[in-house]
Amino acid sequence: MTSRTIHFALRGTAAFCALANAVIHLSLVPSHLAEMPYIGILFLVGSVVMLCVASGLVLQRQPVGVWLIGAAASIGMIIGFLLSRTVGLPDYREAGWEPPYGVLSLVVEGIFVLTFLAWLKEGGAGRVADLRLREAPRMKAPPARLP
């Protein structure tokens, strides 16, 4: 497989996972808004972010920032899921895994993160470094001090 084919496959897989993640969480927004409003709002915000990630992966030519946002959001959702079932969140603790939604969301979030790591390995890390260099402010030499 060529590098271009690999990048296309990774972007397609990640876009599918981001879209699936958004659909799963959007379907749960109404019940969570009724039960614990801030959880429903977090689900809604997370869904909007993942819809933007899915479209960015498909439409942008160099979606470096989109990859980073998608990975951060997916990791955050995984952590939120695990916390809500272990130590709990403020005034909220889920007793079960909400079959099939809990398991499905963990699967698509996990696949997104694994796909992101594969993208980094396939050259995405260089793109992130290039982005950091372009965005870094130009450093000026400190003024010379006279004795």
Side-chain angles (χ1 to χ4, degrees), residues 39-116:
I39 299 293
I41 291 168
L42 286 173
F43 276 29
L44 183 60
V45 169
S47 296
V48 170
V49 167
M50 294 312 283
L51 286 172
C52 292
V53 166
S55 63
L57 285 168
V58 171
L59 299 174
Q60 288 188 6
R61 186 179 173 127
Q62 296 287 331
V64 176
V66 174
W67 275 108
L68 296 172
I69 291 167
S74 293
I75 291 168
M77 289 178 173
I78 291 168
I79 291 170
F81 180 89
L82 295 175
L83 288 175
S84 71
R85 276 132 183 97
T86 55
V87 297
L89 298 170
D91 295 326
Y92 182 78
R93 185 165 183 185
E94 207 44 71
W97 286 70
E98 289 184 73
Y101 305 110
V103 175
L104 284 174
S105 67
L106 285 177
V107 167
V108 295
E109 291 155 2
I111 292 172
F112 188 100
V113 172
L114 291 174
T115 305
F116 169 72

